[in-house]
C-alpha cells in the first residue's frame, strides 16, 4: 500500500513527521557517525555487490542523487527524505533493512541530524572517489631498494646507517656522538639478556682496546642462554601468553609453560623465522617427527579462553556458539596480527572499513581454525615418544580393522541370523531398558587429566550403614568431539567398593575390573551384585580412564544403590577426588538425582526395574541368542575377518598394556584437533543467529595473486593450518618479514619504523623509513631469517651506538626523535627491573625452564583465589627470572602491574611506559624489593667487610655500573649512618640511573 502517510507537499514530505524519532542534538560527522550505520545495515542491499532500485549508499553521488524514485536524501530536510521514512518503517513496502535488526531510534536520530545539518559527505570518504584500498604500501609487493648515497661518508658502519643518515641530511639534522662505553655495555646487556652487566664486565669492556671489542661483546651476549629468556618475553607479549584462562572463572592452566620454554629455546637456537612461524601454526602437522611441533602450537592457544562458555554451557545454545566464535576470532586475530601486522579481525561484522579485507576473508580464516580446540595435549621428548607414536599408529590401524570386521558381522543376513536378530530385538528391551538421561543432568565428570593411568574416584554417603542388594553404574550419555554419546566417560578399568569408613581404609571390593580393559557399556547400566554386603559408603574408582581428545576423564551418569527394593543413594551426599561443577549439566549432586535413571521406571517401582534387570532367564536367553548369532554370522564371513574378530581384541589389549606401561608423556596446553572441522558460516553483522553461506577455509583475496596462494577447503583440519602456515611464510611474502624486522627494530630503539607494529593498514602509522624497512626485510630473508644476525646488524650500526643526549635545536624539528638523530632513552620494563634487583642483590637464580613459579597463595575455588600478599618474599623459588613467573590474567602481580606489565588477555605489540608515583612507591616499599635491598646490603658487607666507604663504592658499582664520586660517598656515609646500609641500597636502586637506560 506504499507509504502510509500523505506525501502532500512534494516528493518525500512526511505528513506524520511526529512519528519519527527525534534528530539527535549534537553535531554529526559522516565518517564517525553515519558511515558505520550505512556499512552495518545498508551495504548488503545498497553497496558494492548489490544495488536494489539502482541505489547505493557507499557512493556519495548516487546516495545524494537518489535511486529510481528520487528524493532519498534531501540535504537540510530529513522529514522530506525517503531514506528516513524507509528506516523508520513508515513505508510498509520498503522497510530498510528488510531483514535482521532494524535501526534503533538513536541511529535514526543520527541520520536525521546528519541530513538536517546539510548531509555533509567528505570526498575523502566517498568510496567511488577514494583510492583503491589495495593501493597502499603494505598490500603491494616490496622491491629491494638500493642503499642510498650520503654526504657524510665518514659516518656509519652498516647499510642501516646510510638509510638513517640520508633522511637526517634531507631534514637538516646530524647524528649524535657515540655513547660512552659504560652506557653502551648497559644498553647492550639489557637489550640482549635483560640483565645488568657485572662491575667486572664493565671494567673489562672499558679497558678493552681491541678494535672489535664491541662486536665481541654483542656476539658473547647473543650466545648466552639468557638471550632467549629476554627475547621470549617480547614474543609472549605479542601473543598474549598467560597461564590462566581469563574471563569469569579464571582457572589455572597447569601446562602452558612448555610453550614458553619452546619460545626461549627457539631464540637461543636461532631458529629461522619461517620455521618458527610454521611450527606455531601447524608444527604438529608439518613436523610430526619433532616434539616441538606439538608444543609450538601453544601459540594458537596462548590467549584467554571462556571456561564457562566452553565447558559449562550446553551444546546448541546461542551462548555456546558465541563462545566458540569468540575463540576462533582470538585465533585469527593472534595469527594475522602477529605474523602479518593486519587487523583482519575488524572484518568480523562487516567488510573492513579501511583495508582491503572482506567479511569473506575473515570467515575463510575462521574456517582454518574450525577443526581445533584448546586443551592439554601430550608430547614426548625422546625415543619414548617415537615408540609410543609407533604403537599408537598400530593400535589405530588394528582398531579400524576390528571395527570393519564387527560392522561386517552385524550386516550378515542369512535366514538363520535374521530369525535370531528378531529374537534378540525382543529380549533386549526386557533386559536393558532405554536410558532417559536428558541434557540438563549429565551426571558426574572428573577433572581432565593428561594421563589415562591417573586414578579418579567418586563416592556416595548413604547416611547410615545399610544392607545392600545391588548397585548399578549408569553410563553418561553425551556426544563429544566425534564420540557418539553412549558411555561417555566410562572408565576402561575400574572397581566398586563398599565401606563403613569415609576414608575406605578397609573396603569391601564388590567388583574389580582393574586387571584388563573392559568394553564400553554404551547406554547399558552395569549391574554389580552386593547381596549380603553392608556399608555406609559406596565408591567407584577409575584406574584407567576414558579418552576424550588426547586427554582423559572419568564420567558417570548415575550411581544407583538398591536396598530392600529402594534406591537408597537418591539425593545423598556425593564426594569425589575432583569434579567439574557445571551446575546444569555436570555436578556431583547430579550423580544421585535420579534423572539419568531409565525413563521406563516410575518412582516407587524401582523393585520392578531391578527385577527386570536382574532376571536370569531373559539374560540367559539373550546371551544364548547373541552367542548363536555370532557363531552363525562368523561362519558366513571370510577367514580373514573371522581371524580379526577373534585375535584383534587381544592384540589391542596387549598394545594398551604396553602403552600404559610406558613413561608418561609430558603435556602442553596447545592445539587439540577435533575429529572433523566444525561448519563455519559467514555471520551477518557477526551475529551467530544470522548465519549465511558456508565458508571454505582460505586466506585474503587481496593477496590472491601470490604464487603461494592455495585452496584451503580440505576436510583435514591439519592441512588447513599447514596451508596457512606455508602461505604466510611464502619466501615472496615480504609483508611477513616487514612485520618481524619492524618488531625487532622497535625493541632496540623504543619505536618501530612503523609505530603501530600490529597495524600496517590504512589506520596504522606510515613507516618513517620505508626503504629501510624493505631493505631489512630482504636482508633478513637473504641471511637465513636469523634473529641473531639481525640483532648483530642493528646493534653494530652507528645509529644504535649514538648517545641519548638532548639537542634543543633538533628537538624543535623532530621532537619525538622518529628520525633517530639520537638514541632514545627508556625506562627498564617490569621484568628487567625485577631481574636487575635480584642480580645486584646476589639472589638471582639462573635455573632455566620448567613449571612457572606461583608467587601467590592459591586456592582452587568456584572462582580461584590468587593472593600475592600471602606469598613469602624470601621463598627461593621467587628468585628465578621473571620470565618464569606464573602469569594470572584476572589478578596481575601488583609489583609487575605497577611497572606497566601488560594485561595478558590483550595482544601487546608495544608496552605502555609510564612514570607514576605508584611505581616509586612499589620500588620503595614492595615486600619483594625491600627484602632484596636487605640482601644487597648483606652482599656488600660480605664482599667488602669492615669498610663502609668500600661497601658504598661496591654498592654503586653493582647498581649503577660506576664508582661513586667523593661527594656521593660523603652524602651516602651520612645517610647510611642514620638509616642503615639497606636503606642506602634502596636509594641507589631507586635512582634514575638504575631505572632508566640511556
Amino acid at each position: 500500500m506504499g507509504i502510509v502517510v500523505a506525501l502532500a507537499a512534494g516528493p518525500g514530505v512526511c505528513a506524520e513527521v511526529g512519528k519519527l524519532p527525534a534528530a539527535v542534538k549534537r553535531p554529526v560527522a559522516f565518517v564517525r557517525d553515519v558511515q558505520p550505520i550505512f556499512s552495518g545495515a545498508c551495504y548488503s542491499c545498497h553497496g558494492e555487490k548489490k544495488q536494489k532500485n539502482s541505489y547505493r549508499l557507499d557512493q556519495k553521488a548516487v546516495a545524494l542523487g537518489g535511486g529510481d524514485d528520487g528524493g532519498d536524501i534531501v540535504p537540510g530536510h530529513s522529514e522530506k527524505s525517503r531514506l528516513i521514512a524507509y528506516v523508520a518503517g513508515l513505508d510498509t513496502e520498503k522497510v530498510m533493512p528488510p531483514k535482521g535488526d532494524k535501526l534503533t531510534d538513536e541511529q535514526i536520530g543520527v541520520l536525521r541530524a546528519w541530513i538536517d545539518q546539510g548531509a555533509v559527505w567528505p570526498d575523502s570518504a566517498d568510496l567511488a572517489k577514494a583510492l583503491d584500498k589495495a593501493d597502499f604500501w603494505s598490500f603491494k609487493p616490496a622491491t629491494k631498494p638500493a642503499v642510498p648515497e650520503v654526504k657524510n661518508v665518514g659516518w656509519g658502519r652498516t647499510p642501516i646507517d646510510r638509510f638513517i643518515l640520508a633522511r637526517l641530511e634531507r631534514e637538516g639534522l646530524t647524528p649524535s656522538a657515540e655513547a660512552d662505553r659504560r652506557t653502551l655495555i648497559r644498553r647492550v646487556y639489557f637489550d640482549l639478556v635483560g640483565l645488568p652487566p657485572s662491575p667486572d664486565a664493565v671494567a673489562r669492556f672499558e679497558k678493552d682496546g681491541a678494535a672489535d671489542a664491541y662486536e665481541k661483546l654483542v656476539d658473547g651476549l647473543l650466545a648466552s642462554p639468557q638471550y632467549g629468556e629476554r627475547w621470549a618475553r617480547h614474543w609472549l607479549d605479542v601473543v598474549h601468553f598467560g597461564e590462566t584462562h581469563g574471563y569469569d572463572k579464571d582457572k589455572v592452566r597447569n601446562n602452558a609453560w612448555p610453550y614458553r620454554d619452546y619460545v626461549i629455546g627457539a631464540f637461543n637456537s636461532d631458529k629461522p623465522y619461517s620455521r618458527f612461524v610454521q611450527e606455531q601454526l601447524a608444527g604438529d602437522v608439518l613436523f610430526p617427527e619433532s616434539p616441538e611441533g606439538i608444543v609450538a602450537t601453544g601459540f594458537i592457544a596462548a590467549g584467554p579462553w571462556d571456561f564457562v562458555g566452553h565447558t559449562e554451557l550446553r551444546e546448541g545454545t546461542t551462548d555456546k556458539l558465541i563462545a566458540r566464535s569468540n575463540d576462533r576470532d582470538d585465533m585469527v586475530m593472534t595469527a594475522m596480527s602477529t605474523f602479518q601486522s593486519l587487523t583482519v579481525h575488524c572484518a568480523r561484522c562487516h567488510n573492513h572499513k579501511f583495508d582491503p579485507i572482506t567479511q569473506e576473508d575473515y570467515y575463510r580464516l575462521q574456517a582454518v581454525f574450525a577443526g581445533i580446540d584448546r586443551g592439554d595435549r601430550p608430547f614426548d621428548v625422546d625415543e619414548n615418544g617415537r615408540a609410543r607414536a609407533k604403537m599408537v599408529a598400530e593400535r589405530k590401524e588394528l582398531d579400524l580393522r576390528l571395527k570393519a570386521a564387527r560392522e561386517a558381522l552385524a550386516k550378515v543376513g542369512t535366514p538363520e541370523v535374521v530369525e535370531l536378530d528378531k529374537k534378540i530385538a525382543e529380549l533386549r528391551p526386557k533386559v536393558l531398558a532405554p536410558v532417559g538421561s536428558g541434557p540438563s543432568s549429565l551426571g558426574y565428570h572428573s577433572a581432565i587429566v593428561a594421563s589415562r593411568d591417573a586414578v579418579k574416584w567418586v563416592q556416595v554417603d548413604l547416611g547410615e550403614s545399610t544392607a545392600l542388594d545391588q548397585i548399578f553404574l549408569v553410563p553418561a550419555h553425551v556426544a563429544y568431539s566425534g564420540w557418539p554419546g553412549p558411555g561417555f566417560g566410562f572408565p576402561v578399568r575400574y572397581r566398586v567398593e563398599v565401606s563403613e569408613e569415609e576414608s575406605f581404609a578397609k573396603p569391601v571390593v564388590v567388583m574389580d575390573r582393574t586387571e584388563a580393559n573392559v568394553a564400553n557399556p554404551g547406554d547399558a547400566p552395569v549391574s554389580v551384585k552386593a547381596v549380603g554386603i553392608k556399608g555406609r559408603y559406596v565408591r567407584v574408582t577409575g584406574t584407567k580412564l576414558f579418552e576424550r581428545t588426547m586427554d582423559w576423564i572419568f564420567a558417570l551418569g548415575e550411581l544407583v544403590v538398591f536396598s530392600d527394593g529402594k534406591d537408597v543413594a537418591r539425593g545423598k551426599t556425593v564426594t569425589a577426588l575432583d569434579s567439574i561443577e557445571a551446575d546444569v549439566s555436570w555436578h556431583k549432586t547430579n550423580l544421585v538425582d535420579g534423572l539419568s535413571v531409565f525413563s521406563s521406571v516410575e518412582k516407587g517401582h524401582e523393585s520392578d526395574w531391578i527385577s527386570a534387570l536382574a532376571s536370569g532367564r531373559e539374560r540367559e536367553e539373550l546371551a544364548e541368542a547373541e552367542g548363536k548369532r555370532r557363531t552363525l554370522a562368523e561362519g558366513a564371513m571370510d577367514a580373514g575377518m573371522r581371524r580379526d574378530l577373534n585375535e584383534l581384541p587381544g592384540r589391542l589389549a596387549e598394545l594398551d598394556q604396553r602403552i600404559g606401561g610406558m613413561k608418561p608423556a609430558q603435556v602442553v596446553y596447545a592445539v587439540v584437533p577435533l575429529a572433523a572441522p566444525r561448519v563455519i558460516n559467514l555471520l551477518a553483522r557477526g551475529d551467530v543467529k544470522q548465519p549465511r553461506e558456508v565458508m571454505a577455509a582460505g586466506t585474503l583475496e587481496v593477496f590472491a595473486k601470490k604464487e603461494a596462494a592455495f585452496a584451503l577447503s580440505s576436510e583435514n583440519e591439519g592441512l588447513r593450518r599447514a596451508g596457512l602456515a606455508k602461505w604466510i611464510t611464502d619466501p615472496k611474502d615480504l609483508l611477513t618479514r616487514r612485520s618481524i624486522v619492524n618488531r625487532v627494530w622497535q625493541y632496540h630503539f623504543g619505536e618501530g619504523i612503523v609505530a603501530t607494529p600490529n597495524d600496517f593498514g590504512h589506520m596504522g602509522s606510515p613507516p618513517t623509513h620505508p626503504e629501510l624497512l624493505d631493505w631489512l626485510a630482504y636482508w633478513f630473508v637473504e641471511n637465513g631469517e636469523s634473529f641473531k644476525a639481525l640483532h648483530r646488524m642493528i646493534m653494530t650500526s652507528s645509529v644504535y651506538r649514538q648517545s641519548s643526549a638532548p639537542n634543543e635545536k633538533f628537538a624543535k624539528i623532530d621532537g619525538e626523535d622518529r628520525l633517530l638523530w639520537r638514541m632514545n632513552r627508556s625506562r627498564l620494563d617490569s621484568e628487567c627491573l625485577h631481574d636487575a634487583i635480584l642480580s645486584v642483590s646476589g639472589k638471582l637464580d639462573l635455573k632455566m625452564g620448567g613449571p612457572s613459579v606461583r608467587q601467590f597463595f592459591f586456592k582452587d575455588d568456584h572462582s580461584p583465589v590468587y593472593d600475592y600478599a600471602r606469598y613469602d618474599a624470601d621463598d627461593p623459588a621467587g628468585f628465578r627470572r621473571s620470565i618464569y613467573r606464573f602469569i594470572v590474567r584476572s589478578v596481575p602481580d601488583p609489583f609487575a602491574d605497577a611497572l606497566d606489565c601488560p594485561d595478558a588477555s590483550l595482544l601487546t605489540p608495544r608496552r605502555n611506559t609510564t612514570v607514576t608515583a605508584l611505581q616509586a612507591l612499589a620500588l620503595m616499599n614492595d615486600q619483594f624489593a625491600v627484602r632484596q635491598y636487605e640482601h644487597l646490603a648483606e652482599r656488600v658487607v660480605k664482599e667488602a667487610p669492615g669498610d663502609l666507604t668500600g661497601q658504598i663504592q661496591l654498592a654503586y658499582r653493582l647498581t649503577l655500573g660506576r664508582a661513586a664520586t667523593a661527594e656521593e660517598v660523603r652524602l651516602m656515609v651520612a645517610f647510611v649512618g642514620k638509616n642503615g646500609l639497606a636503606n642506602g641500597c634502596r636509594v641507589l636502586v631507586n635512582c634514575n640511573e638504575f631505572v632508566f637506560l640511556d
Side-chain angles (χ1 to χ4, degrees):
M1 60 180 287
I3 297 180
V4 296
V5 295
L7 299 176
V13 179
C14 297
E16 298 189 17
V17 174
K19 290 187 177 182
L20 293 173
V24 299
K25 298 183 181 300
R26 59 179 172 82
V28 172
F30 178 77
V31 173
R32 182 191 65 209
D33 302 309
V34 176
Q35 198 169 40
I37 297 175
F38 286 170
S39 174
C42 307
Y43 284 178
S44 59
C45 295
H46 302 284
E48 179 183 2
K49 295 185 177 180
K50 188 176 182 181
Q51 302 88 36
K52 285 188 176 180
N53 297 324
S54 303
Y55 189 55
R56 298 181 68 156
L57 280 166
D58 64 334
Q59 294 186 0
K60 178 180 179 180
V62 179
L64 298 182
D68 293 341
D69 300 328
D72 293 87
I73 295 174
V74 182
H77 299 281
S78 62
E79 78 282 358
K80 295 181 180 181
S81 301
R82 290 179 181 271
L83 176 68
I84 299 300
Y86 297 153
V87 298
L90 300 183
D91 185 333
T92 57
E93 294 182 357
K94 293 185 179 180
V95 177
M96 293 173 57
K99 296 179 181 179
D101 295 335
K102 308 305 178 188
L103 296 193
T104 65
D105 287 352
E106 170 72 14
Q107 290 173 312
I108 296 171
V110 167
L111 294 180
R112 289 200 65 193
W114 173 64
I115 295 173
D116 291 341
Q117 293 167 21
V120 178
W121 188 322
D123 284 346
S124 61
D126 182 5
L127 297 186
K129 294 183 178 180
L131 293 174
D132 179 0
K133 290 180 182 180
D135 186 20
F136 192 69
W137 71 269
S138 57
F139 299 106
K140 294 189 291 187
T143 56
K144 186 177 182 180
V147 177
E149 297 296 326
V150 295
K151 297 175 183 177
N152 184 5
V153 293
W155 186 83
R157 295 177 173 88
T158 72
I160 287 174
D161 295 322
R162 288 171 60 180
F163 283 98
I164 298 297
L165 183 58
R167 180 69 190 276
L168 291 176
E169 290 178 341
R170 288 201 303 272
E171 302 294 336
L173 302 171
T174 57
S176 298
E178 184 169 316
D180 62 76
R181 286 211 163 187
R182 170 184 166 270
T183 298
L184 282 177
I185 191 171
R186 287 192 85 240
R187 183 185 297 171
V188 170
Y189 259 78
F190 277 109
D191 265 16
L192 286 184
V193 297
L195 295 170
S198 69
D200 289 343
V202 175
R204 284 195 304 272
F205 182 60
E206 288 183 322
K207 293 176 182 177
D208 192 341
D212 62 347
Y214 179 81
E215 287 75 11
K216 288 190 297 186
L217 173 68
V218 171
D219 287 340
L221 292 175
L222 286 172
S224 164
Q226 280 71 58
Y227 157 74
E229 293 173 327
R230 173 61 175 152
W231 281 81
R233 181 61 264 167
H234 293 318
W235 188 259
L236 298 180
D237 275 7
V238 173
V239 305
H240 63 347
F241 170 82
E243 294 177 87
T244 60
H245 291 321
Y247 288 93
D248 298 335
K249 291 187 180 179
D250 194 17
K251 298 287 189 179
V252 162
R253 292 179 184 171
N254 289 312
N255 300 303
W257 62 267
Y259 171 71
R260 176 209 64 210
D261 283 0
Y262 158 80
V263 176
I264 293 171
F267 278 106
N268 276 335
S269 67
D270 203 15
K271 190 184 293 286
Y273 186 59
S274 286
R275 174 75 181 235
F276 189 51
V277 173
Q278 290 176 3
E279 286 180 344
Q280 292 181 84
L281 286 172
D284 55 335
V285 182
L286 293 171
F287 313 106
E289 76 288 349
S290 170
E292 288 187 338
I294 292 175
V295 179
T297 62
F299 162 84
I300 299 173
W305 182 77
D306 186 354
F307 176 86
V308 173
H310 287 86
T311 303
E312 298 185 354
L313 297 180
R314 289 189 294 109
E315 291 290 338
T317 60
T318 297
D319 287 344
K320 188 82 165 185
L321 294 174
I322 292 172
R324 289 215 172 110
S325 183
N326 288 341
D327 201 45
R328 289 189 299 271
D329 179 71
D330 180 80
M331 295 174 184
V332 171
M333 175 179 65
T334 303
M336 300 305 289
S337 297
T338 299
F339 299 131
Q340 299 261 284
S341 294
L342 294 177
T343 56
V344 173
H345 51 285
C346 291
R348 183 179 182 181
C349 303
H350 46 71
N351 291 345
H352 201 296
K353 285 186 168 57
F354 305 102
D355 296 337
I357 300 168
T358 65
Q359 259 196 301
E360 288 83 356
D361 289 337
Y362 172 82
Y363 284 100
R364 278 194 293 268
L365 285 166
Q366 266 218 17
V368 172
F369 300 103
I372 56 175
D373 279 336
R374 312 175 196 226
D376 286 339
R377 187 171 177 183
F379 69 97
D380 286 285
V381 295
D382 51 22
E383 289 295 331
N384 190 63
R386 279 182 276 277
R388 188 197 310 274
K390 184 178 179 180
M391 285 190 285
V392 167
E394 182 183 358
R395 192 195 186 288
K396 184 176 181 180
E397 179 187 351
L398 296 182
D399 202 39
L400 289 173
R401 281 172 52 190
L402 181 59
K403 182 180 179 182
R406 286 174 171 168
E407 289 175 351
L409 182 70
K411 291 177 181 177
V412 172
T414 64
E416 296 89 344
V417 168
V418 169
E419 288 302 314
L420 284 168
D421 282 340
K422 292 178 181 178
K423 184 174 183 179
I424 290 168
E426 292 174 0
L427 286 169
R428 274 187 174 157
K430 298 178 181 178
V431 177
L432 304 174
V435 173
S437 171
S440 61
S441 175
L442 298 174
Y444 159 77
H445 191 308
S446 77
I448 302 165
V449 292
S451 171
R452 70 171 74 240
D453 297 316
V455 173
K456 300 288 183 182
W457 57 261
V458 62
Q459 67 188 43
V460 61
D461 178 1
L462 303 178
E464 61 182 359
S465 184
T466 305
L468 309 182
D469 298 327
Q470 198 160 7
I471 300 166
F472 288 96
L473 312 181
V474 181
H477 187 111
V478 58
Y480 176 87
S481 187
W483 183 261
F488 176 78
F490 204 88
V492 177
R493 299 185 187 186
Y494 62 93
R495 63 177 176 270
V496 184
E497 301 166 295
V498 178
S499 175
E500 295 288 1
E501 303 90 11
E502 186 177 9
S503 65
F504 277 74
K506 298 178 181 179
V508 176
V509 179
V510 291
M511 176 176 280
D512 189 347
R513 292 187 172 175
T514 60
E515 293 300 317
N517 293 353
V518 295
N520 190 285
D523 278 335
V526 176
S527 173
V528 183
K529 295 289 186 181
V531 178
I533 304 298
K534 189 176 182 182
R536 175 173 173 173
Y537 301 91
V538 177
R539 174 184 287 189
V540 183
T541 302
T543 61
K544 192 168 187 178
L545 305 183
F546 174 91
E547 183 174 2
R548 219 174 53 131
T549 48
M550 301 297 287
D551 52 31
W552 287 268
I553 63 161
F554 169 26
L556 195 60
E558 193 82 9
L559 180 59
V560 183
V561 181
F562 280 112
S563 175
D564 195 24
K566 299 292 182 182
D567 179 8
V568 293
R570 181 79 60 87
K572 298 298 174 59
T573 301
V574 175
T575 54
L577 178 67
D578 50 44
S579 174
I580 285 179
E581 299 292 287
D583 296 328
V584 298
S585 52
W586 299 112
H587 200 286
K588 290 192 294 290
T589 57
N590 291 352
L591 186 67
V592 292
D593 61 1
L595 296 180
S596 295
V597 178
F598 302 102
S599 58
S600 60
V601 182
E602 298 178 10
K603 290 186 178 180
H605 293 273
E606 289 92 345
S607 58
D608 297 337
W609 177 57
I610 188 172
S611 297
L613 286 170
S615 170
R617 180 175 57 79
E618 285 90 350
R619 296 180 77 85
E620 288 172 5
E621 286 184 27
L622 177 61
E624 181 182 354
E626 288 179 335
K628 190 173 181 180
R629 189 223 184 262
R630 179 180 178 112
T631 301
L632 290 171
E634 283 187 15
M637 296 169 65
D638 67 65
M641 284 209 163
R642 275 202 308 275
R643 194 161 48 247
D644 282 352
L645 280 171
N646 292 301
E647 295 179 3
L648 291 187
R651 290 173 63 184
L652 286 168
E654 180 187 354
L655 277 172
D656 284 342
Q657 187 173 7
R658 288 168 59 194
I659 294 171
M662 298 182 74
K663 182 175 70 174
Q666 286 186 241
V667 178
V668 62
Y669 187 84
V671 160
V672 178
L674 304 177
R678 297 183 176 101
V679 174
I680 300 300
N681 298 90
L682 187 146
L683 304 179
R685 302 185 186 183
D687 185 356
V688 297
K689 298 189 295 296
Q690 298 188 60
R692 292 184 177 174
E693 62 268 28
V694 174
M695 302 301 298
T699 54
L700 306 183
E701 283 190 350
V702 69
F703 298 125
K705 293 181 181 179
K706 279 177 23 177
E707 291 181 13
F710 56 95
L712 279 174
S713 58
S714 171
E715 288 304 305
N716 182 320
E717 81 78 21
L719 294 181
R720 299 182 182 198
R721 288 186 289 117
L724 178 63
K726 290 179 179 178
W727 184 84
I728 286 175
T729 57
D730 171 26
K732 295 182 178 62
D733 182 2
L734 267 293
L735 182 59
T736 299
R737 283 75 185 185
R738 283 164 163 170
S739 173
I740 190 59
V741 299
N742 185 67
R743 293 189 194 281
V744 174
W745 186 273
Q746 170 191 283
Y747 292 124
H748 283 305
F749 289 99
E751 188 147 75
I753 297 172
V754 179
T756 50
N758 269 24
D759 188 359
F760 279 15
H762 287 263
M763 297 306 288
S765 297
T768 55
H769 300 79
E771 297 85 3
L772 174 57
L773 183 65
D774 283 355
W775 185 89
L776 280 172
Y778 271 98
W779 184 92
F780 187 58
V781 173
E782 291 165 358
N783 287 269
E785 296 184 310
S786 164
F787 279 108
K788 292 188 178 183
L790 182 60
H791 292 306
R792 192 178 294 109
M793 167 62 77
I794 292 173
M795 299 178 75
T796 57
S797 68
S798 293
V799 66
Y800 179 82
R801 299 193 197 183
Q802 291 181 105
S803 163
S804 62
N807 182 312
E808 291 185 10
K809 178 182 176 182
F810 291 176
K812 290 178 181 179
I813 300 172
D814 178 23
E816 296 182 353
D817 190 33
R818 294 290 285 123
L819 304 183
L820 293 175
W821 50 268
R822 67 180 178 95
M823 189 59 172
N824 289 303
R825 196 168 191 242
S826 62
R827 200 207 72 205
L828 295 181
D829 63 27
S830 170
E831 290 83 355
C832 281
L833 267 172
H834 174 276
D835 296 353
I837 292 171
L838 283 172
S839 180
V840 300
S841 75
K843 290 296 183 181
L844 181 62
D845 179 1
L846 290 177
K847 175 187 174 184
M848 296 183 67
S852 298
V853 178
R854 298 185 181 185
Q855 295 176 320
F856 47 78
F857 166 81
F858 174 68
K859 181 181 179 182
D860 191 5
D861 210 336
H862 180 74
S863 290
V865 174
Y866 305 97
D867 187 349
Y868 294 89
R870 294 168 66 179
Y871 183 74
D872 181 3
D874 262 337
D875 186 338
F879 297 162
R880 297 186 67 194
R881 292 201 68 177
S882 51
I883 187 76
Y884 301 113
R885 174 178 60 87
F886 192 97
I887 299 174
V888 180
R889 296 187 197 274
S890 61
V891 187
D893 183 310
F895 183 74
D897 192 42
L899 295 165
D900 300 321
C901 199
D903 182 348
S905 294
L906 305 175
L907 300 177
T908 307
R910 179 183 174 189
R911 289 193 181 188
N912 292 325
T913 302
T914 62
V915 179
T916 67
L918 186 61
Q919 293 167 356
L921 290 170
L923 282 170
M924 291 287 286
N925 302 311
D926 184 87
Q927 60 173 340
F928 158 76
V930 170
R931 285 298 292 131
Q932 295 312 310
Y933 304 147
E934 293 168 354
H935 291 312
L936 175 55
E938 293 166 2
R939 177 182 182 181
V940 298
V941 168
K942 182 180 179 180
E943 295 182 17
D947 181 0
L948 181 57
T949 299
Q951 291 165 1
I952 290 171
Q953 285 287 8
L954 177 58
Y956 265 81
R957 289 196 300 274
L958 286 168
T959 55
L960 307 184
R962 65 171 176 84
T965 66
E967 179 64 9
E968 286 172 333
V969 171
R970 185 185 69 78
L971 292 172
M972 187 60 78
V973 166
F975 181 85
V976 169
K978 183 177 180 181
N979 300 290
L981 187 55
N983 280 323
C985 293
R986 180 188 298 198
V987 169
L988 291 177
V989 171
N990 279 267
C991 285
N992 281 351
E993 249 184 290
F994 184 87
V995 175
F996 283 82
L997 198 62
D998 286 318

